């Protein structure tokens, strides 16, 4: 019988994994995203190895958020996958088994007791999980296409924003406190400063940064 990793199982760890802004907006985004992942069956597992893979999938979601921060705002958050793995009580043996199933890493050396090796191993495995996560967030279960996913990520990085829905036209509008004007979702997407981040989302939220 399949079991599943619920958000309640992850909530405590999510508080440190999704911890860039102090207002908790990124944790709200992650909780909503995990609901879509669960609905798609990607939080379910049958054995302990599968359980480990689902937890690594959760870190894949975290990696997407942290990389968006890096791409959009040019401020790397320097996630530590080794510490995250420890907080999730990931078994180094099972991490090694998952690495062993990857034909590209069959001959790779992995020292389970070496903190740096654990960081790189979990970073690699969680990055590979993005191929499963991204379509869920982008498509039917998710945020409503590339534009919707981009807006959902962007809005978490604006903790002082007031989001207003224009009932007549159905367009989301965002304004910073004290701003006189409102910026619609369409204006956000076409903002020249957001072009690089939008392209990154459009191309699948691939791992980003010097370790990629």
């Amino acid at each position: 019988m399949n079991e599943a990793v619920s958000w309640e199982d992850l909530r405590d760890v999510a508080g440190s994994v999704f911890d860039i802004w102090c207002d908790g907006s990124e944790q709200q985004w992650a909780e909503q995203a995990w609901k879509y992942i669960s609905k798609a069956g990607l939080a379910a597992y049958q054995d302990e190895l599968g359980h480990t893979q689902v937890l690594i999938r959760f870190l894949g979601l975290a990696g997407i958020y942290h990389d968006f921060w890096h791409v959009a705002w040019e401020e790397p958050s320097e996630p530590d996958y080794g510490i995250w793995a420890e907080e999730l009580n990931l078994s180094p043996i099972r991490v090694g088994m998952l690495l062993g199933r990857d034909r590209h890493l069959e001959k790779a050396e992995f020292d389970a007791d070496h903190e740096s090796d654990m960081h790189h191993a979990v970073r690699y495995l969680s990055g590979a999980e993005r191929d499963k996560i991204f379509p869920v967030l982008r498509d039917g279960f998710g945020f409503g296409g590339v534009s919707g996913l981009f807006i959902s990520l962007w809005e978490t990085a604006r903790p002082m924003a007031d989001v207003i829905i224009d009932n007549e036209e159905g367009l989301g509008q965002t304004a910073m406190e004290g701003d006189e004007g409102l910026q619609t979702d369409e204006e956000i997407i076409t903002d020249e400063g957001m072009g690089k981040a939008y392209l990154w989302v459009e191309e699948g939220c691939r791992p980003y940064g010097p370790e990629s």
Side-chain angles (χ1 to χ4, degrees):
M1 179 180 294
N2 282 354
E3 297 186 67
V5 176
S6 69
W7 183 253
E8 288 304 314
D9 297 328
L10 300 169
R11 187 178 298 278
D12 289 343
V13 177
S16 60
V17 171
F18 292 89
D19 185 27
I20 297 178
W21 285 107
C22 61
D23 73 329
S25 57
E26 65 269 50
Q27 293 167 37
Q28 295 170 12
W29 178 88
E31 182 174 2
Q32 184 179 7
W34 194 253
K35 288 179 181 178
Y36 298 142
I37 289 169
S38 298
K39 189 175 181 181
L42 295 179
Y45 63 92
Q46 292 183 323
D47 53 29
E48 289 303 317
L49 188 61
H51 182 240
T52 298
Q53 187 168 19
V54 171
L55 294 178
I56 289 174
R57 192 167 295 147
F58 166 70
L59 295 183
L61 180 66
I64 287 175
Y65 186 82
H66 281 260
D67 281 355
F68 178 81
W69 176 270
H70 190 175
V71 178
W73 309 106
E74 298 183 353
E75 292 187 17
S77 59
E78 300 181 357
D80 192 321
Y81 289 86
I83 290 178
W84 292 351
E86 185 176 347
E87 291 180 353
L88 287 169
N89 295 315
L90 293 186
S91 163
I93 293 175
R94 295 193 182 97
V95 170
M97 291 171 66
L98 290 171
L99 284 176
R101 295 198 315 193
D102 190 312
R103 61 184 179 184
H104 298 295
L105 295 178
E106 285 178 353
K107 298 181 180 180
E109 294 183 3
F110 170 61
D111 183 351
D113 295 323
H114 197 287
E115 184 176 342
S116 177
D117 278 8
M118 193 65 169
H119 164 82
H120 290 294
V122 174
R123 186 183 190 281
Y124 174 86
L125 290 170
S126 64
E129 289 295 324
R130 297 190 194 192
D131 289 340
K132 299 175 183 176
I133 297 169
F134 173 71
V136 171
L137 300 183
R138 180 199 62 198
D139 297 335
F141 294 108
F143 290 97
V146 170
S147 296
L149 175 56
F150 173 82
I151 290 294
S152 74
L153 285 161
W154 184 88
E155 285 180 346
T156 67
R158 298 291 292 269
M160 300 298 291
D162 292 325
V163 179
I164 302 173
I165 301 299
D166 185 322
N167 292 324
E168 182 176 347
E169 297 184 10
L171 296 176
Q173 296 181 315
T174 304
M176 298 296 290
E177 281 189 2
D179 285 354
E180 294 182 359
L182 293 174
Q183 191 175 25
T184 67
D185 289 354
E186 291 178 356
E187 289 170 339
I188 294 168
I189 292 169
T190 57
D191 188 322
E192 289 185 5
M194 290 291 102
K196 182 179 179 181
Y198 186 88
L199 181 63
W200 175 80
V201 173
E202 187 175 44
E203 292 181 345
C205 300
R206 309 304 305 166
Y208 183 83
E211 291 186 276
S212 301

